[in-house]
């Protein structure tokens, strides 16, 4: 019985995840099945255990049921969108951790998303990043004014809009372009299919997470430290993107692979540098004094007798 | 009747006889009129209630709604796990609070267009679209709360922050300086925590257990942004 329990435990197979990548709609069955039902990907477990014919029938029944369950509801139903939010707290935290610590062998999409991309992470990470950018940008102005009272402080609320629009456009349009490009080049690759659009959005969204603590650390008004943190964050984020894209792109020609990866990194760097300059401007020029009518209406002045 | 008594005597052995089995033997003669009145107390009560809300004075109507809103304000100020906000939801309270907050937060017309604080419309949009987004998020995650109930809770829990705004405005009438800022900061932080605790007390139970943090985090972000707008408010 112990041997059977061991075989039934979940084993991670590199081969299995690659095979699953090729045919994402298939369900995997494990066990030394002699017959493989059509459309199924069978991974042979070389355990020497023998399963009876009844068990094989049971397995194929169950996997047939699983395949039926995977039918997506239509895009006009609420259930369709609910399938993109089918994550637990622990899964989201695990994906965030995976994006923070990219490793060369670990493919974010395969190992963390496991073909179940979610929209919760990208959406709320972008929202958080937009608000944190606006808030810390404003805070640097406050701190600068404390040191140099001639600087005119204002809440600068319009920056929230700018931040939000920029980040959401980045996380939606760049993956769209990337996905379209990879699909166009699909003919060159034999082994692995390209990522779906949602998986690309997911990768980009989670890769932006590392910028949130960085932006908070940019409050420290030491310029070289700011560039250091920025560089570190950019390296981590871009590395996570590159390691994810590398398995898909390495089948292609050298030129296309190099150009694609460098474009991805360049766009990411542009975003980081642009945010740094727009929201954390080197101290703004001292504004001219407010117009004289406002000054005379200011409540600080005593009313004329 | 005799058969019924017999069957009740030995319950286990025979199959149960239908109730009132003997009544089919009774015949009703044609000349006994069967008529009368059936009054269901509840129905007449409702009809009475309906006509009374049509005929009551305007003051009664307004006072009733105001009392309902006030009762919910009390529930927010002393948050306990209760169902009142969810059961009798209404959107009057959130509307009053949102309009008050937006009126107090809007920049004066002297400020330049580009650099100032939020306009009335911006505050309004942030509050309502923020609440709608959070509600959609919690529904997509699988929470079993209705759309308007969630809007109601989120709107009512802005009350502590509106109070903070009032206090900040009063404090800003005094001398500007670091003490001024510290007092305002402290008040806003306390009210922010109060809002979060109040909304969590009402909303947390409706979420699936392993996704509570995912549903509560956007609420935290929402009240954080509103607190930020309150804290950075500077009258010109």
């Amino acid at each position: 019985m112990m041997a059977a329990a061991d075989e039934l435990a979940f084993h991670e197979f590199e081969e299995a995840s690659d095979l699953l990548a090729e045919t994402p709609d298939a369900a995997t069955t494990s066990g030394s099945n002699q017959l493989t039902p059509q459309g199924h990907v069978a991974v042979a477990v070389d355990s020497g255990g023998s399963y009876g014919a009844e068990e094989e029938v049971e397995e194929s029944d169950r996997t047939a049921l699983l395949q039926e369950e995977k039918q997506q509801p239509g895009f006009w139903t609420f259930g369709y969108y609910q399938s993109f939010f089918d994550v637990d707290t622990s899964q989201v935290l695990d994906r965030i951790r995976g994006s923070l610590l990219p490793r060369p062998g670990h493919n974010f999409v395969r190992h963390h998303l496991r073909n179940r991309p979610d929209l919760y992470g990208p959406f709320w990470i972008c929202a958080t990043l937009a608000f944190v950018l606006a808030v810390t940008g404003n805070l640097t102005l406050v701190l600068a004014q404390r040191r140099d009272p001639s600087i005119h402080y204002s809440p600068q609320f319009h920056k929230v809009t700018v931040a939000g629009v920029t980040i959401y456009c980045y996380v939606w349009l760049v993956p769209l372009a990337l996905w379209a490009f990879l699909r166009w080049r699909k003919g060159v690759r034999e082994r692995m299919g390209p990522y779906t659009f949602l998986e690309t959005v997911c990768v980009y969204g989670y890769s932006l997470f590392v910028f949130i603590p960085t932006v908070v650390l940019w409050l420290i008004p030491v310029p070289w430290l700011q560039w250091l943190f920025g560089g570190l964050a950019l390296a981590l984020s871009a590395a996570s993107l590159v390691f994810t894209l590398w398995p898909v792109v390495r089948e292609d020609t050298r030129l296309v692979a190099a150009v694609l990866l460098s474009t991805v990194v360049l766009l990411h760097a542009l975003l980081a540098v642009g945010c740094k300059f727009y929201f954390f401007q080197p101290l703004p020029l001292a504004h001219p004094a407010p117009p004289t009518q406002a000054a005379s209406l200011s409540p600080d002045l005593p009313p004329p007798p | 009747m005799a058969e019924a008594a017999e069957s009740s005597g030995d319950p286990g052995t025979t199959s149960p006889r239908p109730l009132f089995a003997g009544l089919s033997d009774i015949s009703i003669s044609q000349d006994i009129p069967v008529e009368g009145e059936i009054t269901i107390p509840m129905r007449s009560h409702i009809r009475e209630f309906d006509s009374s809300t049509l005929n009551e004075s305007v003051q009664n109507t307004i006072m009733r709604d105001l009392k309902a809103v006030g009762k919910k304000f009390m529930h927010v100020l002393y948050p306990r796990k209760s169902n009142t906000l969810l059961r009798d939801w209404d959107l009057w309270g959130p509307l009053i609070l949102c309009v008050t907050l937006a009126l107090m937060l809007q920049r004066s017309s002297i400020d330049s267009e580009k650099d100032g604080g939020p306009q009335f419309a911006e505050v309004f949009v942030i509050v309502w679209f923020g609440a709608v987004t959070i509600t959609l998020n919690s529904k997509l995650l699988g929470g079993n709360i209705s759309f308007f109930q969630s809007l109601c809770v989120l709107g009512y829990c802005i009350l502590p922050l509106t109070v903070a705004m009032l206090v900040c405005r009063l404090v800003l009438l005094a001398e500007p300086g670091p003490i001024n800022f510290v007092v305002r900061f402290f008040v806003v932080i306390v009210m922010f925590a109060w809002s979060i605790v109040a909304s969590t007390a009402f909303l947390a139970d409706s979420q699936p257990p392993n996704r509570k943090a995912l549903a509560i985090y956007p609420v935290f972000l929402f009240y954080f942004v509103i607190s930020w707008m309150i804290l950075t408010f500077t009258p010109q």
Side-chain angles (χ1 to χ4, degrees), chain B residues 138-156:
Chain B
S138 86
K139 282 188 81 82
L140 283 169
L141 282 173
N144 59 351
I145 189 173
S146 98
F147 184 75
F148 288 109
Q149 281 173 345
S150 175
L151 277 188
C152 170
V153 169
L154 288 168
Y156 269 103

Side-chain angles (χ1 to χ4, degrees), chain A residues 246 249-250 252-265:
Chain A
W246 177 244
V249 149
R250 73 179 161 201
D252 220 330
T253 63
R254 284 260 159 194
L255 181 65
V256 170
V259 166
L260 183 70
L261 288 177
S262 49
T263 314
V264 161
V265 173

